[in-house]
Amino acid sequence: MIGGDPASISDPRGSGSVLALAFAFYLTGAVLLVVAGPALATLHAFAAFIVLAIVAASNQLIPVLTGAPPVAARQPVAAALPLALGFALLVAGFLGAPTLAAAGIVLAAGSVAWAAWTLRRLARAPLERPFALAAGFATLGLVAAALLGGALAVSLARGSAALIGWAPVHAVLAAAAFAGTLVVAISYRFVPMFALAHGAKSPREQAPQWLLPLGAFVCAAIYGLDPAAALRALFTLTTLLAIWALSTHLRTLRTRMRRRLDVSITYALPAWCFAVIASAALAFRPDSVTVGLAAIACAVLGWLSLSIVGYSYKIVGFLAWQWARTRAPGAMLRALGAVVPQRVARVALVALVAGAAVTALDPFVHGAAPYGAVLYLAGALGAVAALVRLCTAFTSISSAHAHRHA
């Protein structure tokens, strides 16, 4: 990404601002995990982090990977603000404020607006059609999840539980059709890039990025006929797809030229293990509340959040590097790999993995959640501190260079 054509790079200030919002929700979710436990407010704070981080990352990846025109900084910020507001209202509503209905409406409208903008950009993309197709499926997944989630929020605000039975479909669309699909699709590009290895080239190897959203859409379509059968079929499929994708990544890593695994990949590997565990557990017992709670912890705290935090070391570093290069064109900027605070990042990873695992055990081992929450909060604080240090390493160099040449 750093070596790409500058003309294909969107203004880093736009994606950087949205990522800052995303990590504010990430820390909020980690704090709520300690204060409120694994409640709906906590879950949707992490959902806000996942959605906003994907919005920020896709703003850069769409032009770089697909050749679509880059955009100004104000456009991703304008697209993200309604989503951030909607999630803030949603979290407040689950904490007792009378904001659930407003949250549902704002999130539904904001998701449709972002989807329309994103699909228009993807339609103009001349390159990487496989990624563009996966991103298009994921975008439609967010719209479907947001519309159903909005209806659920409005229904709950009115005191009705008529739609509560469709909450699993909302979760499937959000986690699998949207977030999971984009994490899978991005991983096929990032793993070989960060490992300096040969990537997966054949459509067969990359098929999970298309089969995952299609499976989620089919599950949503037939859910009303037989909920348990629809969920069991979907999670059996997702387990096979997770193993499929993981085996592809492991084959890719065996061809790597870097001896030491990149920090982003060290986050991605346990994240994929959490994905396999969550899917396999749900495939085995899709009707068990206990298994469902454990699987949600594995999927949200483990798979999706760990993947995004790990890839953020490269995305945030790239945005800071690009901003510094733009601000001080003649400055001598260090290589990104040399700037990442490796020790802090890896210690944070240990705490995050342990925190997610212990939290997932709570439905089976009563009383484990508080310990998992504290571990996860410590890991989240460490990861964010590492990202801040990564940013300041580049901004301080550019500031010093600008000051010398003023």
Side-chain angles (χ1 to χ4, degrees):
M1 292 172 68
I2 289 177
D5 180 5
S8 69
I9 298 171
S10 297
D11 190 325
R13 293 174 297 179
S15 294
S17 299
V18 178
L19 267 177
L21 271 175
F23 274 98
F25 275 105
Y26 183 59
L27 291 179
T28 300
V31 170
L32 285 174
L33 192 61
V34 174
V35 175
L40 286 173
T42 308
L43 175 63
H44 286 85
F46 282 109
F49 161 64
I50 293 165
V51 170
L52 291 172
I54 288 175
V55 168
S58 64
N59 181 55
Q60 295 298 134
L61 292 174
I62 287 174
V64 170
L65 292 178
T66 70
V71 296
R74 65 180 180 277
Q75 290 175 280
V77 173
L81 283 178
L83 297 172
L85 174 61
F87 274 114
L89 292 171
L90 192 61
V91 171
F94 284 126
L95 290 174
T99 55
L100 282 178
I105 294 169
V106 172
L107 274 174
S111 298
V112 170
W114 178 77
W117 177 57
T118 301
L119 290 172
R120 187 167 63 249
R121 296 176 72 191
L122 291 171
R124 300 168 63 189
L127 308 173
E128 268 281 7
R129 299 309 300 170
F131 175 80
L133 179 61
F137 281 147
T139 302
L140 294 176
L142 177 63
V143 171
L147 291 176
L148 180 54
L152 281 164
V154 171
S155 176
L156 290 173
R158 293 176 175 175
S160 171
L163 296 178
I164 199 67
W166 288 87
V169 176
H170 166 64
V172 162
L173 291 169
F178 170 60
T181 297
L182 275 174
V183 167
V184 171
I186 289 170
S187 294
Y188 280 122
R189 279 77 192 168
F190 277 4
V191 170
M193 184 189 303
F194 299 160
L196 296 181
H198 298 294
K201 301 297 183 183
S202 71
R204 183 186 64 81
E205 289 177 304
Q206 299 187 47
Q209 66 186 337
W210 307 304
L211 295 177
L212 179 58
L214 291 177
F217 292 141
V218 171
C219 173
I222 67 174
Y223 180 82
L225 301 177
D226 190 338
L231 292 174
R232 188 182 300 277
L234 172 66
F235 293 124
T236 300
L237 173 65
T238 58
T239 301
L240 296 175
L241 294 180
I243 295 172
W244 186 348
L246 178 57
S247 64
T248 300
H249 294 321
L250 292 176
R251 288 197 302 273
T252 299
L253 291 176
R254 283 200 293 268
T255 68
R256 72 185 188 275
M257 289 185 282
R258 280 188 172 139
R259 182 179 178 183
R260 186 180 186 184
L261 287 177
D262 183 88
V263 66
S264 292
I265 296 177
T266 63
Y267 274 69
L269 289 175
W272 279 101
C273 293
F274 276 115
V276 173
I277 293 169
S279 294
L282 288 170
F284 180 66
R285 291 292 305 275
D287 55 346
S288 169
V289 174
T290 301
V291 171
L293 292 173
I296 289 171
C298 287
V300 175
L301 301 180
W303 177 36
L304 296 174
S305 293
L306 268 184
S307 296
I308 291 171
V309 171
Y311 291 152
S312 292
Y313 287 110
K314 280 295 191 289
I315 295 171
V316 169
F318 167 71
L319 294 173
W321 184 92
Q322 181 65 22
W323 182 83
R325 189 178 71 166
T326 302
R327 189 164 179 249
M332 295 296 293
L333 299 176
R334 298 167 63 192
L336 179 54
V339 178
V340 175
Q342 298 283 342
R343 180 174 298 178
V344 176
R346 293 175 191 274
V347 170
L349 172 61
V350 172
L352 289 171
V353 170
V358 173
T359 302
L361 285 174
D362 182 70
F364 306 99
V365 182
H366 185 67
Y371 300 100
V374 170
L375 282 169
Y376 201 87
L377 176 58
L381 290 170
V384 171
L387 289 167
V388 170
R389 283 178 57 184
L390 178 58
C391 288
T392 56
F394 286 118
T395 56
S396 61
I397 292 172
S398 63
S399 297
H401 178 84
H403 179 73
R404 286 196 303 269
H405 291 81

